[in-house]
Amino acid sequence: MKLNQNGLLIVLSGPSGVGKGTVRKALFESEGHNFTYSISMTTRSPRVGEVEGSDYYFVSKEEFEQRIKDGKFLEYAEFVGNYYGTPIDKVEQNIEEGREVVLEIEVEGARQVKQKKPDAVFIFIAPPSFEALHDRLRRRGTEKAEVIKERLDKARRELMLINDYDYIVINDDVNNAADRIRAIIRAEHARTKRSAEGYIELLEESNHDNTK
Ligand code: 5GP
């Protein structure tokens, strides 16, 4: 039984190459889940195999900047020469309709979400080691050597921000990491700050029914 019918806003963050996308996909394979992924907008070019409207909405720099001016992002950031942002339109509606909305974003964007939505759950996905991160970025083979170096330098800085998050999940194994996130979400739903009001209403209703 769920006391608060609203979904959670779940921010998955962590350095590029840590496997956030893979962990998120494993999470979405849970049975009977009610997760919805917030598809970001970016000015980066699509990688081979990436699909418009499923991996990202790919737009020009001009279009992105116009949307910034129009206040259409919950958050946005520049990452290694490109813009990335979370379109605001669907996020609130999904939460109110009881879905868990998952954002997969870098740390600057997560910081902005924390200011606007302090009730969100902030999960930092961390690599088991720095070498593991380097290996993964190299093996992915989608970026040139200098871009990999930039992403690794950025990762070093991002790892320093771990204390801004509510939880750390080490991605030593994708399924283990997804399991830990499921446990976090269950626990978060039970927190009194989210559920006490619903519980008290429920008690009052049953009390009212009994005294009829
Ligand atoms: P990639 O180019 O590897 O797809 O993404 C680069 C970084 O941008 C990753 O850390 C990814 O999580 C992050 N990112 C993706 N979408 C968003 C977004 O909407 N906002 C922010 N702030 N970061 C994002």
Side-chain angles (χ1 to χ4, degrees):
M1 183 176 148
K2 220 161 106 185
L3 294 169
N4 183 335
Q5 300 305 323
N6 277 1
L8 299 173
L9 181 58
I10 299 155
V11 178
L12 299 183
S13 204
S16 170
V18 77
K20 295 188 287 286
T22 325
V23 171
R24 191 246 312 159
K25 283 176 190 138
L27 186 66
F28 276 55
E29 277 161 16
S30 330
E31 263 178 43
H33 72 74
N34 203 5
F35 297 130
T36 176
Y37 176 52
S38 159
I39 300 164
S40 296
M41 199 165 275
T42 183
T43 59
R44 158 165 90 54
S45 313
R47 292 184 185 128
V48 175
E50 282 184 332
V51 177
E52 161 72 22
S54 164
D55 294 291
Y56 281 108
Y57 298 109
F58 297 98
V59 297
S60 66
K61 191 167 177 236
E62 292 68 37
E63 183 170 350
F64 199 103
E65 286 174 344
Q66 186 58 48
R67 283 171 185 265
I68 297 174
K69 282 197 201 115
D70 295 342
K72 289 194 170 157
F73 290 112
L74 170 61
E75 60 74 35
Y76 71 92
E78 212 173 328
F79 185 92
V80 192
N82 282 299
Y83 282 124
Y84 295 80
T86 302
I88 198 157
D89 49 359
K90 301 255 168 56
V91 170
E92 268 161 28
Q93 187 189 342
N94 273 316
I95 290 173
E96 278 162 24
E97 288 174 4
R99 292 183 200 93
E100 324 281 16
V101 176
V102 178
L103 310 186
E104 192 191 304
I105 62 178
E106 53 68 67
V107 296
E108 166 56 27
R111 207 181 50 77
Q112 294 169 32
V113 177
K114 191 153 195 171
Q115 279 168 3
K116 291 190 187 156
K117 306 266 176 202
D119 254 12
V121 182
F122 294 86
I123 303 175
F124 193 93
I125 306 201
S129 68
F130 207 71
E131 287 68 39
L133 195 63
H134 194 177
D135 269 5
R136 239 183 253 169
L137 277 175
R138 244 193 337 231
R139 263 186 286 130
R140 188 157 82 182
T142 51
E143 269 92 15
K144 296 199 190 93
E146 63 270 27
V147 176
I148 292 183
K149 189 183 170 302
E150 263 185 88
R151 286 190 174 230
L152 279 172
D153 289 344
K154 181 115 184 159
R156 248 185 219 108
R157 296 194 294 277
E158 290 186 327
L159 287 167
M160 299 297 139
L161 299 172
I162 242 170
N163 279 322
D164 294 345
Y165 288 76
D166 301 314
Y167 299 94
I168 300 172
V169 168
I170 295 179
N171 185 18
D172 46 359
D173 171 273
V174 172
N175 291 319
N176 281 347
D179 272 350
R180 284 182 219 125
I181 294 173
R182 279 184 207 104
I184 290 167
I185 294 170
R186 273 202 299 279
E188 279 291 331
H189 271 292
R191 289 186 70 164
T192 44
K193 76 170 182 187
R194 297 188 203 280
S195 302
E197 228 172 86
Y199 181 62
I200 288 163
E201 271 170 29
L202 206 83
L203 277 186
E204 277 167 1
E205 271 170 33
S206 65
N207 188 29
H208 185 70
D209 288 347
N210 287 342
T211 53
K212 263 189 198 162

